[in-house]
Amino acid sequence: MDWAVLWDYRQVLIDGLGLTVALSAVAIGGSFVLGTTLGCIGSLPGFVARRSVDTYVEAMRNVPVVAKLFFLYFVLGFDAIPAGLIALVSHQSAYIADVVASGFRTVPREQSEAAWSQGLARHEVFVWVLLPQVFRTIMPPLTSQFIEVVKNSSVIMLIGVQEMTFQTQHIEHQTFRGFEAATAVTVLYLVLALAIALAMTGLQRRFFGG
Amino acid sequence: MTAAAGTKDEAEPIIRFRSVDKHFGPLHVLKGVDLDVRAGAVVVVCGPSGSGKSTLLRCINGLERAQSGTITVMGRTLDDRVLRSADFRAEIGLVFQRFSLYPHMTVLRNLTFAPRKVRGETRAQAEGRARELLERVGLADKIGAYPGELSGGQQQRAAIVRALLMNPRIMLFDEPTSALDPEMIREVLDVMRDLARSGMTMIVVTHEMGFAREVADLVVFMDQGEIVETAPAASFFSHPATERARKFLDKVLHH
Amino acid sequence: MGERRKEVLWRLALLAILGFVAWSLRDLRWSVVWEASPFLLRALGVSWLLTIVSVAVGMVAGTVLAAARLYGPPGIRHLAVGYIELIRAVPQIMVIFWVFFSAPKLIGMKLSAWPAGIVALSMIASAYLAEVIRAGLASVPRIQHETAWSSGLGATQTFVHVALPQALRNMLPALIAHFVMMFKITSLVYVIGLIDFFRAIVLVNNREFAPYELYLTMGAVYFVCSWALSLLVRRLDPKYTLQT
Ligand SMILES: Nc1ncnc2c1ncn2[C@@H]1O[C@H](COP(=O)(O)OP(=O)(O)O)[C@@H](O)[C@H]1O
Ligand SMILES: [Mg+2]
């Protein structure tokens, strides 16, 4: 084994890490906003709202990310980065919508009834009483969903985006030191997952008292 | 209060049901219910599980909407427009069996939240009143605690205080002690008893017959969606008029 | 009135929309898909074969891992936890790469795509299934173990005859959900050149250049396969939420 190759290729790895972090951050933000919005709409009493969200969730969830990615890139002709981001966001937002909707089901109906009875308007009940409780309960599954975004961002290498996983293959092609590169990148992914988990625990402590 | 009970036709009742029908799908839950409650009266609603007590209570503040009949509360006949009014809803306090308090807010914020949002009170105003009332029910030291850190009895007392801070004209209680351990029931009933003495109009669904006997002006007995019997507490307990009420009392008094 | 009626209307509306989309796409060169269909079907068979093999291996290895995590002595337990969490935190492509690239170091020769794919997918399946099985085992009440134990069964016998069958029943929805997950993950063996359904579509497209026809077909096939299975999950446990 030759770990020196990691040092020689440090810039390549750092660039890949940077791109993975950037793609993941944008995709996490996007899928969180879209997924939460859809989850909220899906929890409204109206039949059409609920079933529309269900249909979106089913459609997105049952097709692999790579399939969406290639469709966006090769068929619809998006550039690589937008195609990657749209694929990631459309995919994960479906899962997050489901997580949010199941969060709503855990809030006892007394909560919204009590708030409405106190004279709060429907939207105030939603924002001040329901949403905070939903977020409090879904922090753990939301954390896994965010980590899932980082993992899925690796598929974007298939359309030539030089993120971390791409660099593994690049180093293998140049030096046949793919094993070392793959090990290093694996460690980096672990660190990213850990960072997300820690950040989410911190948020949970900060806003929901543990 | 007893004076009010004597002057029956002096004023319009604060709550009036006229042939109210409520269905849940195929289920007929309230069957032509008529009810009059005078301001200041304490009404205990009892009856077997599933008889429609909660539904009756929830119709008063519009949590459930009847399909036919009229419900008049504080002189206003309930319709969409009336129920959209925050002030109308805020004047009817409600305490559930459980989950009344907002678990993500401290006791203080639970109490001051709606007064500030709905009534536009300043923080200082709302907190001042909250402290005062909490003190009175013996919860002064729990002001910064989260509901999860309180006992069931403490939670219910805090929930009552929260409702009172809206200065309600009517208080509704849906089995407020049913989820409590026996030793906590008393501390909640004590608070409710004081409230009754202060002249608050109260509708209480409960199985606490001791409380009913002592505090209630009127007992409403329901069975299968009908009000079977309405009677002053004393006569309801000493000689119930109907066979169904007799059977029910037999069960709850000597179980 | 009529949640059922609304549901029927909703489905009819969806069908109508799908029908309209299909109608407006009628002039595409569907003959490309038709002519390539024997090749595509064989590739779909490869996807399913990879799924079935990796889930089968994953069940066995996952059971061992779950038992190690639940009942193992400290050293073994930490190894199991480390493996499970490592695999679940890392992109599946990385696992595939890692297996592919590490083979020369570990066994002295390059693995070809098939064994590399199967090993990598089985490693992934065993980590995820270990967690499914662990949840299933945890769902068996303690009293069951104690009863079996006190009636004279040994630890292994208790595990095999008492805990495992009940756990299997409780975890069936999660198991099918992860079967679907593995089916979708097989598309990633693309990176080491295995001709699964996904790569087959790409290959045919490289030759015929009919992207709309082929990629729409791909989406439809993946959707129908996974959706049908996820319906089964719903039926078994309406409250189950899929997370991957
Ligand atoms: N939201 C609802 N949907 C359908 N049925 C309901 C609903 N709420 C109550 N019911 C039914 O209406 C009947 C009366 O309920 P309720 O008023 O809660 O009775 P009680 O409070 O006397 O136990 C019961 O049979 C109950 O199952
Ligand atoms: Mg009830």
Side-chain angles (χ1 to χ4, degrees):
Chain A
M1 269 168 248
D2 175 17
W3 298 101
V5 71
L6 297 179
W7 182 250
D8 299 339
Y9 279 82
R10 62 188 180 280
Q11 199 51 50
V12 165
L13 288 171
I14 289 170
D15 290 348
L17 176 66
L19 199 48
T20 292
V21 169
L23 285 169
S24 304
V26 175
I28 284 175
S31 54
F32 175 69
V33 171
L34 182 58
T36 304
T37 308
L38 289 172
C40 290
I41 293 173
S43 303
L44 293 174
F47 178 88
V48 174
R50 179 162 49 82
R51 291 301 275 130
S52 306
V53 171
D54 280 354
T55 306
Y56 173 84
V57 168
E58 290 302 331
M60 288 301 147
R61 209 158 52 176
N62 288 308
V63 177
V65 195
V66 270
K68 293 191 202 93
L69 182 70
F70 275 44
F71 192 79
L72 286 159
Y73 186 67
F74 290 113
V75 181
L76 298 183
F78 279 94
D79 286 340
I81 300 275
L85 288 174
I86 297 172
L88 288 180
V89 168
S90 62
H91 188 73
Q92 224 63 41
S93 62
Y95 287 96
I96 292 176
D98 204 38
V99 165
V100 170
S102 58
F104 273 103
R105 289 194 290 273
T106 66
V107 181
R109 73 169 186 174
E110 280 90 339
Q111 289 291 311
S112 51
E113 291 179 350
W116 187 77
S117 302
Q118 283 198 291
L120 273 83
R122 296 255 173 234
H123 67 271
E124 291 174 321
V125 175
F126 193 82
V127 171
W128 298 104
V129 176
L130 294 182
L131 266 191
Q133 295 192 51
V134 169
F135 281 125
R136 194 168 69 145
T137 56
I138 66 173
M139 284 305 260
L142 208 51
T143 305
S144 343
Q145 290 308 319
F146 289 173
I147 294 175
E148 210 59 31
V149 173
V150 177
K151 290 165 60 183
N152 284 334
S153 73
S154 65
V155 304
I156 306 179
M157 71 160 284
L158 296 180
I159 55 172
V161 174
Q162 308 188 351
E163 47 65 74
M164 239 168 22
T165 308
F166 181 94
Q167 307 296 24
T168 317
Q169 207 182 27
H170 172 71
I171 295 174
E172 162 77 10
H173 287 162
Q174 301 256 310
T175 65
F176 299 107
R177 294 290 170 198
F179 172 75
E180 289 83 346
T183 307
V185 169
T186 297
V187 171
L188 290 177
Y189 274 115
L190 267 185
V191 170
L192 289 183
L194 217 62
I196 289 178
L198 284 177
M200 293 295 275
T201 316
L203 282 178
Q204 173 112 3
R205 288 247 171 75
R206 167 83 181 66
F207 289 108
F208 307 120
Chain B
M1 232 159 51
T2 26
T7 55
K8 217 168 158 177
D9 43 18
E10 172 210 67
E12 195 186 340
I14 192 166
I15 299 170
R16 161 179 295 204
F17 279 51
R18 283 292 174 271
S19 4
V20 170
D21 278 275
K22 170 75 188 169
H23 301 259
F24 284 118
L27 212 62
H28 200 170
V29 183
L30 293 181
K31 300 172 182 163
V33 166
D34 292 309
L35 181 69
D36 285 312
V37 178
R38 289 167 298 96
V42 176
V43 178
V44 161
V45 182
C46 62
S49 164
S51 56
K53 308 181 294 294
S54 296
T55 308
L56 177 84
L57 200 73
R58 294 158 58 84
C59 279
I60 297 172
N61 75 342
L63 278 177
E64 304 290 356
R65 303 296 304 279
Q67 275 93 6
S68 66
T70 54
I71 301 173
T72 312
V73 180
M74 301 182 289
R76 303 170 76 173
T77 299
L78 297 198
D79 55 26
D80 289 340
R81 198 179 49 78
V82 169
L83 288 174
R84 255 199 308 276
S85 153
D87 285 325
F88 176 82
R89 281 179 275 142
E91 291 200 314
I92 307 173
L94 175 59
V95 177
F96 296 104
Q97 186 173 346
R98 59 183 128 191
F99 305 130
S100 290
L101 295 176
Y102 310 126
H104 58 300
M105 300 181 189
T106 62
V107 169
L108 185 63
R109 193 152 147 67
N110 256 286
L111 268 49
T112 56
F113 177 63
R116 290 174 63 189
K117 275 256 176 297
V118 178
R119 303 273 203 225
E121 288 183 28
T122 65
R123 183 178 175 144
Q125 267 176 322
E127 291 191 350
R129 296 199 305 124
R131 275 174 213 284
E132 200 179 303
L133 267 186
L134 276 176
E135 190 103 31
R136 228 185 289 167
V137 300
L139 288 175
D141 56 326
K142 298 295 180 194
I143 203 156
Y146 283 89
E149 299 160 358
L150 304 186
S151 74
Q154 291 169 335
Q155 289 183 28
Q156 290 301 70
R157 282 184 281 155
I160 295 172
V161 169
R162 187 180 70 179
L164 291 177
L165 282 171
M166 300 301 286
N167 299 320
R169 291 175 60 195
I170 301 172
M171 282 287 291
L172 309 176
F173 294 85
D174 194 353
E175 306 201 24
T177 59
S178 295
L180 300 181
D181 294 335
E183 71 269 21
M184 292 171 189
I185 292 178
R186 163 181 284 275
E187 61 189 50
V188 174
L189 292 182
D190 283 347
V191 173
M192 290 170 62
R193 193 178 293 115
D194 286 348
L195 187 58
R197 296 215 172 101
S198 76
M200 175 67 71
T201 308
M202 292 165 62
I203 318 289
V204 185
V205 177
T206 186
H207 297 297
E208 293 296 328
M209 289 304 139
F211 174 83
R213 205 192 295 254
E214 186 188 341
V215 177
D217 299 302
L218 211 63
V219 175
V220 169
F221 173 69
M222 293 188 70
D223 193 13
Q224 301 184 351
E226 294 168 15
I227 294 189
V228 178
E229 193 167 335
T230 308
S235 68
F236 178 76
F237 287 108
S238 55
H239 27 75
T242 58
E243 184 57 32
R244 280 198 268 181
R246 233 188 323 272
K247 275 208 181 114
F248 174 77
L249 279 176
D250 249 14
K251 239 181 260 165
V252 292
L253 293 179
H254 333 273
H255 41 263
Chain C
M1 165 77 203
E3 196 76 352
R4 270 188 101 87
R5 213 158 73 214
K6 283 188 199 159
E7 185 62 40
V8 171
L9 281 175
W10 177 259
R11 289 186 186 184
L12 284 177
L14 281 186
L15 270 180
I17 293 171
L18 276 180
F20 176 74
V21 171
W23 174 251
S24 54
L25 295 173
R26 69 193 179 284
D27 290 334
L28 294 180
R29 283 195 299 142
W30 293 110
S31 59
V32 172
V33 177
W34 176 247
E35 276 150 25
S37 62
F39 176 64
L40 291 176
L41 280 175
R42 208 168 328 122
L44 184 60
V46 168
S47 291
W48 278 115
L49 187 66
L50 285 170
T51 310
I52 291 168
V53 171
S54 60
V55 167
V57 176
M59 278 299 286
V60 177
T63 307
V64 174
L65 282 168
R69 184 168 189 171
L70 278 175
Y71 315 120
I76 305 252
R77 189 163 66 225
H78 291 128
L79 273 180
V81 172
Y83 175 82
I84 293 167
E85 297 306 331
L86 175 69
I87 297 282
R88 292 184 343 136
V90 167
Q92 285 95 24
I93 294 189
M94 277 312 299
V95 179
I96 296 172
F97 273 163
W98 199 84
V99 168
F100 201 55
F101 295 152
S102 67
K105 316 269 174 202
L106 297 178
I107 58 172
M109 58 172 200
K110 256 189 131 52
L111 275 182
S112 65
W114 264 100
I118 286 184
V119 169
L121 290 175
S122 301
M123 282 173 66
I124 294 166
S126 53
Y128 281 90
L129 291 176
E131 284 303 276
V132 171
I133 293 164
R134 184 171 72 112
L137 287 173
S139 73
V140 179
R142 257 219 98 65
I143 187 82
Q144 299 272 354
H145 291 261
E146 283 155 10
T147 315
W149 181 266
S150 54
S151 72
L153 286 178
T156 318
Q157 281 173 310
T158 307
F159 181 73
V160 172
H161 296 293
V162 181
L164 205 51
Q166 294 191 51
L168 277 173
R169 206 182 41 218
N170 293 343
M171 73 198 193
L172 198 55
L175 201 59
I176 301 171
H178 283 78
F179 194 80
V180 176
M181 178 193 84
M182 287 309 298
F183 175 64
K184 286 184 288 176
I185 288 177
T186 56
S187 59
L188 299 177
V189 296
Y190 175 90
V191 294
I192 52 174
L194 248 179
I195 302 182
D196 71 320
F197 185 63
F198 180 63
R199 193 173 193 98
I201 291 277
V202 175
L203 289 178
V204 174
N205 187 46
N206 288 346
R207 201 177 57 220
E208 303 285 346
F209 197 69
Y212 273 98
E213 296 80 350
L214 287 160
Y215 284 105
L216 284 175
T217 304
M218 173 178 71
V221 168
Y222 272 114
F223 177 81
V224 169
C225 291
S226 343
W227 183 65
L229 281 166
S230 69
L231 281 186
L232 193 57
V233 177
R234 278 282 147 72
R235 166 146 303 183
L236 288 167
D237 181 1
K239 286 197 289 294
Y240 188 81
T241 43
L242 299 115
Q243 292 210 356
T244 40

